[in-house]
Amino acid sequence: MSVTKSVVSALIGIAIDRGFIHGPDAPITEALPRDLFASAADVARFRTVTVRHVLGMSALDAPDPPRDTSPEALARHARFRSAPNRVRFALEQPLLAMPGSSYQYNDVTPMLAIGALQYTTGVTALQFADEHLFGPMGFRHHEWMHQDAAGIDLGGYGLRLRPIDMQKFGVL
């Protein structure tokens, strides 16, 4: 399931190469619409979080199952799954103590990356992947499950690929 995170990282690299995202050290705030942030304070809070931090799981403090099965983590996960826009949900989460140095593996942080991809390119992650990665590599019969109500593909998991296509990606 989490191979999705690796594919998202590759798609971000392609988006950087094509000029949709300014680079790995660009603030995530440059790639996301202002109306996703709850307040000007949230924009300021995320201004120091870069694309590199997001891809390196060094941004959000949002423990989730199965890594954390506390009542708080289970409740967060339920809210995340049902959020109409999971990128907006991610932007409501606390930051790690030291983005860029701290680390926490979770499924919420990748929503910032997938949001950056979709909002800057104007297409879903699957559409972008079909055009720039899956199509050129001959992937077939793939599926990206669990899109939210806003049309944002799930960044942490949900991509289904044939084993041969996963092997092609691994070699890449």
Side-chain angles (χ1 to χ4, degrees):
M1 295 295 280
S2 287
V3 71
T4 302
K5 295 172 179 80
S6 297
V7 172
V8 168
S9 291
L11 295 175
I12 291 291
I14 294 167
I16 289 170
D17 182 62
R18 303 284 194 278
F20 291 105
I21 296 172
H22 293 120
D25 296 317
I28 199 71
T29 54
E30 286 184 7
L32 298 173
R34 168 59 180 92
D35 67 344
L36 288 177
F37 295 86
S39 66
D42 277 340
V43 174
R45 185 168 68 96
F46 276 91
R47 200 163 274 130
T48 61
V49 176
T50 67
V51 172
R52 182 184 314 272
H53 297 156
V54 169
L55 294 178
M57 290 289 186
S58 186
L60 298 182
D61 186 6
D64 59 2
R67 295 158 288 276
D68 182 341
T69 56
S70 68
E72 297 82 11
L74 294 170
R76 179 184 304 103
H77 184 68
R79 289 191 314 273
F80 171 70
R81 293 279 307 175
S82 65
N85 185 312
R86 293 186 188 122
V87 178
R88 181 173 284 128
F89 177 87
L91 292 169
E92 295 168 354
Q93 303 310 303
L95 294 176
L96 290 170
M98 297 184 323
S101 296
S102 303
Y103 173 84
Q104 184 185 108
Y105 188 87
N106 61 57
D107 291 323
V108 179
T109 299
M111 289 310 301
L112 298 176
I114 207 110
L117 179 71
Q118 288 195 209
Y119 284 106
T120 59
T121 65
V123 297
T124 68
L126 180 57
Q127 290 167 322
F128 190 81
D130 279 340
E131 181 177 347
H132 298 284
L133 182 65
F134 298 166
M137 293 184 71
F139 284 27
R140 294 180 308 158
H141 308 297
H142 48 273
E143 176 182 25
W144 208 311
M145 304 176 342
H146 311 298
Q147 195 176 67
D148 69 17
I152 309 293
D153 290 319
L154 189 57
Y157 57 93
L159 183 59
R160 292 175 50 168
L161 301 171
R162 298 179 313 156
I164 189 69
D165 294 332
M166 290 180 75
Q167 182 183 24
K168 290 177 193 177
F169 183 74
V171 170
L172 173 71

